[in-house]
């Protein structure tokens, strides 16, 4: 059984992330979307909120699960006998992803990191951009699924 762990902050998950999930679901027997902690970010949504909104957005897949973890990524991935898969948008992603992949390999040699190139259609979309546009009441309907757009609008008005 081939398992891919797709980790990220997903604050919130975007259509770009979901495009990677769609493609991964065809390549692997099981895909785990792992809501993880990035200590350099201050999230808008809590872990349980993010987990619930992602679950709703991927409920039509029968081989995609959603989990959250606040420890070291390699420990989680090793326990699942899986590989790490990350999405790469632009060159600007490469440096940080390269650094994380090498650090993860140093922590645990058996865990491999693989990359999928983003769909061009979504290469400019990021969670931060979506949050910024939403904070100014801009239209984010083509960037996130409907349930997430609704939750972002609710957060804005609270
Ligand atoms: O979506 P992001 O914020 O770019 O994802 C980064 C994330 C959360 C995958 C990364 O910070 C991570 O792996 N956090 C878990 C803790 C950990 O293992 N840190 C060392 C990574 S080199």
């Amino acid at each position: 059984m081939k398992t891919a762990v797709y980790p990220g902050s997903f604050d919130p998950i975007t259509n770009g992330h979901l495009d990677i999930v769609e493609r991964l679901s065809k390549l692997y027997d099981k895909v785990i979307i792992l809501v993880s902690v990035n200590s350099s970010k201050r999230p808008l949504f809590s872990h349980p909120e993010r987990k619930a909104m992602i679950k709703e957005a991927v409920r039509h897949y029968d081989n995609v699960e959603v989990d959250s973890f606040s420890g070291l990524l390699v420990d989680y991935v090793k326990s699942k006998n899986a590989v790490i898969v990350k999405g790469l948008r632009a060159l600007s992603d490469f440096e940080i992803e390269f650094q994380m992949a090498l650090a993860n390999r140093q922590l645990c040699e058996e865990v491999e990191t693989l990359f999928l190139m983003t769909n061009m259609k979504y290469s400019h979309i990021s969670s931060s951009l979506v949050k910024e546009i939403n904070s100014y009441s801009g239209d984010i309907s083509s960037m996130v699924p409907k349930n997430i757009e609704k939750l972002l609008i609710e957060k804005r008005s609270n």
Side-chain angles (χ1 to χ4, degrees):
M1 170 120 148
K2 288 192 296 168
T3 305
V5 172
Y6 179 37
S9 306
F10 304 119
D11 184 48
I13 201 161
T14 66
N15 286 343
H17 294 127
L18 290 168
D19 176 72
I20 300 277
V21 171
E22 162 85 30
R23 288 154 59 201
L24 279 180
S25 74
K26 293 176 187 149
L27 293 168
Y28 287 87
D29 301 307
K30 184 156 109 181
V31 178
I32 305 173
I33 304 175
L34 189 68
V35 179
S36 317
V37 179
N38 181 337
S39 52
S40 61
K41 292 183 179 167
R42 270 194 40 223
L44 178 66
F45 294 99
S46 68
H47 263 201
E49 280 176 321
R50 279 179 267 165
K51 222 175 128 177
M53 59 214 267
I54 299 171
K55 270 193 175 160
E56 171 68 21
V58 299
R59 70 196 162 105
H60 52 290
Y61 294 103
D62 50 21
N63 65 339
V64 177
E65 291 175 13
V66 187
D67 201 358
S68 63
F69 189 64
S70 45
L72 272 181
L73 176 61
V74 285
D75 291 339
Y76 181 93
V77 176
K78 202 173 155 197
S79 77
K80 300 286 177 188
N81 198 17
V83 294
I84 301 169
V85 182
K86 297 294 231 28
L88 272 184
R89 283 166 309 187
L91 264 187
S92 52
D93 279 347
F94 183 77
E95 202 174 337
I96 180 77
E97 292 300 343
F98 185 64
Q99 188 185 32
M100 283 198 270
L102 290 186
N104 283 330
R105 177 174 300 160
Q106 190 169 354
L107 290 169
C108 181
E109 268 201 17
E110 308 100 277
V111 171
E112 286 292 352
T113 304
L114 294 120
F115 294 96
L116 277 192
M117 289 305 295
T118 188
N119 187 322
M120 276 296 275
K121 214 164 52 172
Y122 302 118
S123 61
H124 60 294
I125 297 177
S126 68
S127 304
S128 326
L129 190 77
V130 167
K131 283 182 284 192
E132 182 171 336
I133 296 173
N134 181 59
S135 72
Y136 292 107
S137 307
D139 181 7
I140 51 165
S141 59
S142 61
M143 299 176 184
V144 290
K146 256 276 129 332
N147 72 306
I148 290 171
E149 182 191 7
K150 195 165 157 266
L151 291 166
L152 277 161
I153 293 172
E154 270 169 31
K155 273 270 185 220
R156 187 181 68 213
S157 27
N158 285 341

